Amino acid sequence: MIAVKNISKAFGSLQVLDKISFDLKKGGIFAVLGPNGSGKTTFLKILLGMVLPDSGEIYYQDQPILQSHAYRKHIGYLPQIARFPDNLKVREIIHMIMDIREEPAHPEPLIELFKLDKFMDKKLGDLSGGTRQKVNIVLTFMFDTPVVVLDEPTAGLDPVSLIKLKDLLHQAKNQGKMILITSHIMSLVEELADEVIFLLEGKIYFQGTLSDLQSKTETRDLEHSIAAILEP
Ligand SMILES: Nc1ncnc2c1ncn2[C@@H]1O[C@H](COP(=O)(O)OP(=O)(O)OP(=O)(O)O)[C@@H](O)[C@H]1O
Ligand SMILES: [Mg+2]
């Protein structure tokens, strides 16, 4: 579904991504991992066409996408930091995004799931951090896209909302969707991810299943696998 070939990106003298390549053939949950500053967000933005790589190609369903925009309607995106004007009401931002994307959207079940009804006429700037994140989740999942990209979606969520997010991810996976997710919460990754892509110093240090990673690092869980990689 998505193939990445030799993607490189530098910011000034900092080589953030250095010839990254992988091929994701079918749906499932793929966790993009790596320490702070390892290029996860940059990579996801390149995938979305929001950052241009210095070199390399990306293919979506065998078509090169770096010169085209149409493929983006196949992707739902939750940015790590969503910047919407504070004075917009929840109801307004939902309608605004629906108008921009011009695609069928179903926000109601998600509004109900996250109990956002009572916040619909509140301004984004007046919401708590977690509630704002729930609005971002609604904006991401209200479209029925075959690919969903989530950059730190758990930020600020309480345990009840986290369970609901996990249910949404399971549901999306069972529908055959491809989910790319970054998270620093290893228990979540362990629970959900079919495969991990671990970025380190511009390269893919590891790609494979969690059990492959654990046997490679000879540790008992993902948290310790990561620690073994970063501080051997
Ligand atoms: N627009 C930019 N201009 C200059 N440097 C940038 C820019 N965007 C990102 N960087 C740098 O690129 C590196 C990778 O950043 P990125 O946000 O992709 O990391 P990340 O893996 O998502 O980190 P985190 O886990 O903290 O979210 C960082 O050193 C960052 O400062
Ligand atoms: Mg990031």
Side-chain angles (χ1 to χ4, degrees):
M1 213 141 68
I2 294 178
V4 172
K5 298 228 165 84
N6 288 320
I7 288 288
S8 294
K9 179 71 187 176
F11 292 111
S13 60
L14 180 70
Q15 191 71 44
V16 178
L17 301 172
D18 187 7
K19 296 197 181 140
I20 299 286
S21 299
F22 58 78
D23 193 356
L24 307 180
K25 290 201 167 66
K26 57 180 174 62
I29 301 182
F30 300 88
V32 181
L33 306 181
N36 294 134
S38 56
K40 303 179 298 293
T41 296
T42 304
F43 172 71
L44 295 180
K45 285 184 174 171
I46 289 175
L47 204 59
L48 286 148
M50 297 163 70
V51 167
L52 287 177
D54 300 327
S55 57
E57 269 295 348
I58 297 178
Y59 299 84
Y60 177 69
Q61 290 172 338
D62 298 323
Q63 299 297 315
I65 59 172
L66 292 179
Q67 268 68 259
S68 109
H69 293 261
Y71 78 96
R72 286 193 217 170
K73 69 173 190 298
H74 299 286
I75 305 182
Y77 175 49
L78 189 146
Q80 184 167 17
I81 299 171
R83 291 196 185 90
F84 298 116
D86 275 348
N87 60 345
L88 279 182
K89 292 177 181 167
V90 173
R91 185 185 307 284
E92 291 169 340
I93 187 70
I94 290 173
H95 286 120
M96 203 176 97
I97 302 289
M98 281 164 63
D99 287 345
I100 292 171
R101 290 196 64 147
E102 295 181 321
E103 284 164 65
H106 306 283
E108 295 82 9
L110 294 161
I111 291 168
E112 197 176 316
L113 178 68
F114 288 104
K115 300 203 165 37
L116 289 171
D117 294 84
K118 55 183 177 292
F119 298 104
M120 291 301 280
D121 289 306
K122 290 227 174 349
K123 290 178 178 172
L124 290 176
D126 295 342
L127 300 181
S128 72
T131 305
R132 236 179 134 127
Q133 186 68 346
K134 290 178 207 170
V135 174
N136 294 333
I137 292 170
V138 173
L139 297 176
T140 308
F141 282 93
M142 68 182 181
F143 300 102
D144 185 19
T145 53
V147 180
V148 185
V149 172
L150 304 154
D151 199 346
E152 291 287 345
T154 63
L157 293 185
D158 61 40
V160 174
S161 311
L162 190 57
I163 290 172
K164 292 176 180 174
L165 172 67
K166 288 194 266 195
D167 288 345
L168 283 178
L169 292 168
H170 275 301
Q171 235 177 62
K173 175 182 156 168
N174 291 338
Q175 292 168 342
K177 297 185 178 193
M178 176 173 285
I179 298 116
L180 288 160
I181 181 170
T182 74
S183 178
H184 291 296
I185 301 179
M186 290 306 119
S187 57
L188 178 99
V189 174
E190 263 174 328
E191 202 178 320
L192 292 175
D194 297 301
E195 224 177 84
V196 304
I197 297 167
F198 192 95
L199 298 180
L200 191 62
E201 292 166 0
K203 304 275 192 197
I204 295 182
Y205 176 85
F206 173 83
Q207 182 184 359
T209 63
L210 292 166
S211 50
D212 291 344
L213 180 60
Q214 270 160 38
S215 47
K216 182 174 169 163
T217 50
E218 293 178 341
T219 47
R220 66 178 187 278
D221 60 23
L222 182 58
E223 210 159 60
H224 288 85
S225 301
I226 303 287
I229 292 169
L230 298 178
E231 294 188 356

